[in-house]
Amino acid sequence: MSKCRSCGEPAVIDLARHNANFCAEHFLQLCRRQLRKAIDEFEMFDENDRILVAVSGGKDSLALWDMLIDEGFRADGLYIGLGIGDYSDASGVVTRAFAEQRGLTLHEVDLREAHGIDVPTAAYRSGRAPCSACGLTKRHLFDAVASEYGYDVLATGHNLDDEAAVLFGNTLRWDVEYLRRQAPVLPSRDGFGKKVKPLVRLTEREMAAWCILRGIDYIVEECPMAIGNRHLGYKTALNAIEETSPGSKASFYLGFLERMRPVIEQAVAHDPAVPCPSCGSPTGRSGEICAFCRLVASTSESEPVPVRMLLGKQARNVFDAQWGTSNDR
Ligand code: Q46
Ligand code: ZN
Ligand code: ZN
């Protein structure tokens, strides 16, 4: 049996990118160190800040919330009911259970109750890709809730795999504007809090292991809208590279940040923020109604559209196997 690099006791995990094995205690310690390093290196927040963690019920966001509390930070949760069929219902259940078991504060927004829309319906009626409608909705609600309750920082559970996959996609398309803004920290703007990604030095597999070792129940299924999408394809490609060349993913993304940091910081510092005349959220352009308000205005009167209607054949098969075949799902 392999031994822990730090103490020589039996190991519970091998981490090829560190070329080492670890016991539970020293693996958790390594995760805490990587978290701290990201927080300090990018000056994300300190013990005085009030942090709002966007939690989805998945391993990354629950692990992040757990780690921040464990490290003594003041962190509350925000769960958004996106209306993505049974997936959303199940993710709400595990998120609430996590908060209740630990006596933590969880804010909740149900998109349909609060704004009369859900992600599948908004995507279908507006012709937007589901993740695009979802992304702009989440960004809007993160800002709105953080500013309503006066949080200093909004933290999301994006990990190294996520960020490397986004970087890979942006690089394949040479999307310079996105590359210039792919930062683990977006500074606060006009009363809207800072946004941070404290897990950028930790992988998806490490976060799953964190949850298992800490006894955290999380929703294992991916969001059905993600099945077969480009982003997952980029992750698969990077995993294949990582397999033969451990550490490639980290050096690709963290190397990018190291070299591009001055360019990125300058780009995000000068992003314009003009309030939307309808909801007050920051938008890029003066006098224009923001994308979220336009989405609500154009789709809130529509009949709900089931998730299955938005899925391609392959995704529908996976979805049916996970959640059943009823047409109203
Ligand atoms: S929840 Fe939303 Fe993700 Fe589902 S619809 Fe896409 S963006 S995949 S993180
Ligand atoms: Zn050990
Ligand atoms: Zn608006």
Side-chain angles (χ1 to χ4, degrees), residues 4 6-7 23 26:
C4 171
S6 305
C7 68
C23 71
H26 289 114

Side-chain angles (χ1 to χ4, degrees), residues 13-33:
I13 189 164
D14 67 293
L15 297 182
R17 73 185 178 111
H18 295 288
N19 193 22
N21 306 308
F22 295 93
C23 71
E25 186 195 331
H26 289 114
F27 168 71
L28 296 176
Q29 204 179 78
L30 178 138
C31 292
R32 291 186 187 105
R33 255 200 329 267

Side-chain angles (χ1 to χ4, degrees), residues 65-78:
W65 198 5
D66 183 50
M67 291 170 109
L68 292 178
I69 294 292
D70 190 48
E71 287 290 289
F73 290 107
R74 302 196 294 161
D76 296 339
L78 166 61

Side-chain angles (χ1 to χ4, degrees), residues 56 82 84 87 119 129-135 138 158 222-227 229 231:
S56 67
L82 297 166
I84 306 178
Y87 165 78
V119 165
C131 291
S132 149
C134 182
K138 287 194 288 194
H158 295 96
E222 292 277 353
C223 169
M225 303 295 182
I227 301 166
N229 75 6
H231 184 69

Side-chain angles (χ1 to χ4, degrees), residues 88-270:
S88 284
D89 297 341
S91 57
V93 170
V94 293
T95 305
R96 273 172 226 122
F98 177 92
E100 267 166 35
Q101 283 157 10
R102 292 159 181 80
L104 301 173
T105 300
L106 177 68
H107 300 277
E108 281 198 54
V109 179
D110 184 274
L111 197 49
R112 187 149 274 289
E113 267 172 34
H115 297 283
I117 64 168
D118 57 61
V119 165
T121 308
Y124 189 80
R125 303 286 180 211
S126 68
R128 276 181 178 267
C131 291
S132 149
C134 182
L136 77 87
T137 298
K138 287 194 288 194
R139 281 193 297 277
H140 172 88
L141 294 173
F142 292 167
D143 271 333
V145 176
S147 98
E148 182 182 348
Y149 292 95
Y151 287 95
D152 303 296
V153 184
L154 183 282
T156 55
H158 295 96
N159 58 36
L160 177 57
D161 296 70
D162 295 320
E163 294 304 298
V166 171
L167 176 60
F168 193 39
N170 288 341
T171 307
L172 285 178
R173 290 186 293 279
W174 287 119
D175 200 328
V176 176
E177 277 316 297
Y178 280 116
L179 284 168
R180 272 156 46 94
R181 284 174 175 72
Q182 206 191 326
V185 174
L186 293 177
S188 61
R189 315 185 289 176
D190 301 334
F192 290 91
K194 203 172 177 178
K195 296 201 179 81
V196 300
K197 299 173 181 172
L199 298 185
V200 289
R201 303 188 63 89
L202 288 153
T203 66
E204 216 158 88
R205 181 166 166 263
E206 287 155 9
M207 292 301 85
W210 174 279
C211 287
I212 291 164
L213 293 171
R214 298 271 298 168
I216 297 170
D217 280 331
Y218 62 89
I219 181 158
V220 176
E221 289 85 1
E222 292 277 353
C223 169
M225 303 295 182
I227 301 166
N229 75 6
R230 257 192 333 204
H231 184 69
L232 284 191
Y234 298 148
K235 280 189 175 177
T236 309
L238 287 171
N239 284 340
I241 297 170
E242 184 76 16
E243 188 75 35
T244 51
S245 177
S248 300
K249 218 183 280 178
S251 63
F252 176 53
Y253 176 65
L254 299 174
F256 161 78
L257 288 185
E258 210 179 293
R259 285 167 187 75
M260 298 297 286
R261 191 164 173 173
V263 177
I264 296 170
E265 282 180 350
Q266 209 200 11
V268 296
H270 294 109

